[in-house]
Amino acid sequence: MSKNNDGFEVMDDCIFCRIIAGDFGTDFVYEDDYVVAFDDISPQAPVHTLIVPRVHVENLEDNPDPELLGNVFAAISKVAKVKGVDQSGYRIIQNNGAGAGQTVFHLHVHLMGGKPFGEGMV
Ligand code: AMP
Ligand code: ZN
């Protein structure tokens, strides 16, 4: 763990920390003081965007600050609006641990939309 220029705790070998730091020139579809959002590299819906706190926490089992969680959730509808799915509807998914399918251990919410979701997986 180290601190970046903005004072956020980051993990040097974390792909999302590096994306947030701008190491790959990733386009952010939304950003604010606490959160960035960028499109998933392997989209599973016409709209598939990841909402990621600037602070490195692994997942909900990593004792995240409730304020951080609030900031992530507050960003979701803003990202939905930017992506044009706020009216048509969208689904959010957030994986905790390898057993749930988490592959990147930096907390993130998947926002998916642009197609009808049937029943199943809630
Ligand atoms: P999860 O399985 O919940 O940990 O989700 C990780 C997501 O990050 C997957 O949907 C990946 O496709 C996505 N992903 C991994 N690397 C990148 C990247 N460099 N840029 C954008 N999305 C990524
Ligand atoms: Zn990270």
Side-chain angles (χ1 to χ4, degrees):
M1 254 337 178
S2 59
K3 287 206 172 168
N4 70 10
N5 292 338
D6 300 318
F8 290 109
E9 295 212 314
V10 296
M11 287 276 268
D12 299 324
D13 60 351
C14 168
I15 183 89
F16 284 2
C17 281
R18 294 194 62 195
I19 286 174
I20 292 162
D23 285 1
F24 308 113
T26 307
D27 280 334
F28 296 149
V29 304
Y30 169 85
E31 64 179 311
D32 62 29
D33 287 349
Y34 312 104
V35 169
V36 306
F38 48 88
D39 289 335
D40 197 291
I41 202 169
S42 178
Q44 294 182 38
V47 171
H48 185 172
T49 301
L50 303 174
I51 298 152
V52 187
R54 290 184 186 272
V55 173
H56 180 94
V57 280
E58 285 197 0
N59 56 38
L60 294 181
E61 294 303 312
D62 194 18
N63 199 25
D65 183 345
E67 206 172 310
L68 174 151
L69 297 176
N71 290 329
V72 170
F73 259 75
I76 291 171
S77 73
K78 294 177 181 168
V79 175
K81 198 171 181 65
V82 173
K83 297 301 292 184
V85 294
D86 53 318
Q87 298 301 314
S88 53
Y90 54 90
R91 179 167 290 183
I92 57 171
I93 294 174
Q94 191 268 318
N95 295 323
N96 294 279
Q102 185 174 9
T103 57
V104 177
F105 284 78
H106 180 135
L107 181 78
H108 54 279
V109 172
H110 299 253
L111 183 157
M112 304 166 100
K115 71 167 194 177
F117 290 98
E119 293 179 15
M121 282 303 280
V122 307

